[in-house]
Amino acid sequence: MLTASGDNRAVVIGAGLGGLASAMRLGAKGYAVTVVDRLDRAGGRGSSITMEGHRFDLGPTIVTMPELFSDLWAACGRDFRSDVDLRPLDTFYEIRWPDGSSFKACADTDRMVEEVRRLSPGDVNGYLRFLKGSEARYRIGFERLGRMPMHKLSQTIRVLPDFARLRADRSILSLAKSLVKDDRLRMALSFHPLFIGGDPSNVTSMYALVGHLEKTFGVHYAIGGVQAIADAMATVVRDQGGTIRLGAEADEILLDQGRARGVRMKTGETLSAPLIVSNADAGHTYAHLLRKSPRTRWTDRRLNRASWSMGLFVWYFGTRGTRQMWRDVGHHTIINGPRYAELLKDIFGRGHLAPDMSLYLHRPSVTDPGVAPEGDDTFYALSPVPHLGWEDPVDWSERRESYRQAVAQVLEAHIPGFQAHLGPSHILTPEDFRTRYLSPNGSGFSIEPRILQSAWFRPHNVSEEAKGLYLAGAGTHPGAGLPGVIASAEVLDSLVPPAPAADVRLAAE
């Protein structure tokens, strides 16, 4: 067989976007990379399914910082824009409230000010102060923390004076309340952490940085969905000489005297390599993949005490002959229920499935006609719900259909008559997130991004449990969301040395 005195083999567990980005960067460093994933398509939570000609993006739908992808492709000697057709959206999303009012977000400050003025003229100055603070938080929270390693406590301590100055101890909802008086605007300025699994009433105000990120870099959609980005990433990995094995599940990370030596697959096969990157959920990595190995920090007890992100109920559905209907419904619509702060308490604080809900409605067919047959539409409606880790968790085998009907009732006010045009339909509940993505507690975004579960306090990109083991993706630093998981591979790139020169020769088995 072939052996190498300079062993440049690497195994990446999980072909999610963080895993694929890690594989690309390892390939660019000269590693011989094998990516394994239990699903049948690359992309992980960013993958898709197709039913009767309707393509459903299962997870993330927008790109908010394309420069991260451009930098990733450039590190591999490629041009991102040549491989992916990325389209900027003029209106990022429309927020709607039960009283019929609405707010359209975009990159233009003057238009945004007019949106604020239309809802609450007295809150314009508060909104402008929010924008200024958003930029300051971006400089510290993303540029200084999000794209740099945080596995040493000293790295976090260095930014504490800035955190104190920017009141990182205050929640983003508390920050919004201090700046604007209108409850609708308070929601519009504070809801963004929900996109990465955080409770706005508990998550640090540093996440106000999203306002600057959206305004500066825009909100984009990839033709073909995020699946198209994942497929393009997989192509780069293969062009580098890497291997991607789908339908192949890792069962255990193997150690030898505290050092990674390979991965045992569910089939019993062993993939030997001195460098392992786990793009699996950090909780699954430590509780299952390292279940037979001693652990010092990320023990089951510590994982059980962690605060996990909320669960998600997502209804994917197609409609027939509706492309010219509902002209007022754009690509992204956020539909608010009658409560905001109290609904957050039900989801994050009580584990209670409330009868009311807020929804994120995705209608990609207005931008990408190819997601559905000609004249048809493709949608998904997402509702934040409690995860499964509560003492009395929701039994989704019983509530699945009744909750779908409740979602449909809310949607009727925005896409009236849609149920008469229904085509294919598919549902994911927290139970499906637990079985499909091996997500602890069926959470949608791994560990919740609270201040004491971020930076040094979050599972590190370089594991302290085994030499040669690294983490990428939503459960590690800097966190969930497309910018977070792509940045996790950039952080990993700064920690992993170039591959050793392989002295390959024939040897007897």
Side-chain angles (χ1 to χ4, degrees):
M1 70 174 190
L2 288 174
T3 64
S5 57
D7 196 338
N8 69 340
R9 291 173 297 176
V11 174
V12 177
I13 301 170
L17 298 175
L20 291 170
S22 299
M24 289 170 66
R25 288 192 174 272
L26 291 176
K29 281 179 171 285
Y31 285 91
V33 183
T34 299
V35 183
V36 297
D37 196 289
R38 66 198 300 268
L39 301 180
D40 61 355
R41 296 204 70 169
R45 299 183 196 205
S47 60
S48 68
I49 59 172
T50 299
M51 301 171 66
E52 300 176 25
H54 294 260
R55 193 198 73 242
F56 299 112
D57 299 310
L58 295 180
T61 61
I62 58 176
V63 177
T64 52
M65 200 173 176
E67 282 72 10
L68 284 169
F69 285 100
S70 296
D71 291 348
L72 171 63
W73 254 252
C76 302
R78 308 273 290 240
D79 177 22
F80 173 63
R81 299 284 181 157
S82 296
D83 290 348
V84 177
D85 183 0
L86 203 63
R87 306 285 178 89
L89 301 181
D90 182 45
T91 297
F92 299 161
Y93 44 82
E94 181 184 18
I95 305 174
R96 295 181 174 185
W97 289 277
D99 64 1
S101 59
S102 64
F103 181 92
K104 291 184 178 180
C106 68
D108 185 85
T109 301
D110 291 339
R111 284 167 57 189
M112 290 287 280
V113 166
E114 287 309 308
E115 288 290 294
V116 172
R117 194 188 313 279
R118 184 171 52 79
L119 288 180
S120 180
D123 281 330
V124 169
N125 287 336
Y127 170 70
L128 292 174
R129 289 199 301 274
F130 177 86
L131 279 187
K132 185 176 180 180
S134 174
E135 180 176 3
R137 287 171 172 83
Y138 170 80
R139 301 295 176 203
I140 301 300
F142 195 80
E143 290 294 345
R144 283 190 60 187
L145 267 78
R147 303 181 76 169
M148 299 180 182
M150 283 288 138
H151 61 287
K152 296 179 180 178
L153 184 57
S154 60
Q155 295 161 324
T156 297
I157 290 174
R158 279 198 292 268
V159 300
L160 289 182
D162 292 309
F163 269 41
R165 176 173 56 84
L166 296 171
R167 289 299 308 275
D169 60 309
R170 170 186 281 179
S171 76
I172 188 171
L173 179 55
S174 175
L175 172 68
K177 286 181 176 180
S178 73
L179 294 172
V180 298
K181 292 182 172 59
D182 189 282
D183 283 336
R184 295 166 299 180
L185 288 176
R186 289 172 170 178
M187 176 270 161
L189 299 183
S190 67
F191 79 94
H192 294 92
L194 288 165
F195 284 153
I196 55 172
D199 175 1
S201 63
N202 276 312
V203 164
T204 172
S205 63
M206 294 301 292
Y207 282 99
L209 64 85
V210 176
H212 177 77
L213 190 148
E214 287 183 344
K215 176 177 168 50
T216 303
F217 300 101
V219 171
H220 301 75
Y221 173 82
I223 298 300
V226 171
Q227 179 72 74
I229 299 178
D231 290 343
M233 296 171 83
T235 295
V236 174
V237 172
R238 293 185 178 108
D239 287 350
Q240 291 173 326
T243 300
I244 298 177
R245 295 175 54 177
L246 301 174
E249 183 175 348
D251 185 56
E252 184 183 355
I253 295 172
L254 302 174
L255 307 183
D256 183 9
Q257 297 182 344
R259 182 178 292 276
R261 67 174 181 87
V263 175
R264 179 178 289 121
M265 307 298 290
K266 275 282 189 181
T267 58
E269 177 190 8
T270 295
L271 302 178
S272 297
L275 192 153
I276 309 296
V277 177
S278 180
N279 182 224
D281 190 285
H284 179 75
T285 298
Y286 286 124
H288 181 80
L289 296 178
L290 287 174
R291 64 190 183 278
K292 297 180 183 179
S293 303
R295 285 170 281 144
T296 57
R297 185 176 184 197
W298 292 103
T299 62
D300 294 338
R301 184 167 177 265
R302 176 156 185 175
L303 290 170
N304 289 336
R305 292 204 315 265
S307 174
W308 294 85
S309 64
M310 77 285 195
L312 301 173
F313 179 96
V314 197
W315 180 23
Y316 310 87
F317 59 91
T319 55
R320 297 189 173 99
T322 60
R323 187 71 62 84
Q324 301 305 314
M325 298 172 64
W326 314 307
R327 294 296 189 98
D328 63 324
V329 178
H331 194 128
H332 305 287
T333 307
I334 297 164
I335 302 168
N336 276 284
R339 303 180 303 151
Y340 179 49
E342 283 300 311
L343 181 59
L344 293 175
K345 288 181 182 178
D346 278 339
I347 296 169
F348 290 93
R350 304 182 184 112
H352 171 61
L353 185 64
D356 60 318
M357 65 187 69
S358 292
L359 300 175
Y360 162 57
L361 182 65
H362 182 224
R363 189 188 189 185
S365 39
V366 300
T367 304
D368 185 2
V371 301
E374 186 174 356
D376 292 356
D377 267 312
T378 292
F379 292 90
Y380 87 47
L382 179 152
S383 175
V385 296
H387 62 61
L388 300 173
W390 295 93
E391 186 176 342
D392 185 22
V394 178
D395 184 347
W396 285 105
S397 65
E398 289 186 0
R399 301 297 299 274
R400 180 188 183 101
E401 176 56 22
S402 62
Y403 199 78
R404 185 201 66 80
Q405 292 176 10
V407 170
Q409 187 174 355
V410 173
L411 292 177
E412 278 289 349
H414 301 271
I415 45 176
F418 81 99
Q419 294 184 86
H421 300 272
L422 275 179
S425 177
H426 184 69
I427 291 172
L428 291 181
T429 74
E431 287 285 2
D432 299 298
F433 276 76
R434 182 159 63 182
T435 56
R436 178 180 174 85
Y437 303 121
L438 304 179
S439 177
N441 300 314
S443 63
F445 304 91
S446 191
I447 295 172
E448 188 183 3
R450 296 188 179 193
I451 192 167
L452 292 181
Q453 295 189 157
S454 300
W456 180 82
F457 300 99
R458 201 167 183 84
H460 299 157
N461 306 91
V462 53
S463 175
E464 54 273 269
E465 307 293 0
K467 294 180 180 179
L469 174 61
Y470 299 84
L471 272 66
T476 186
H477 172 70
L482 281 190
V485 300
I486 300 303
S488 74
E490 184 175 319
V491 171
L492 179 138
D493 187 49
S494 69
L495 298 169
V496 176
D503 177 19
V504 181
R505 60 188 184 277
L506 284 174
E509 181 136 11

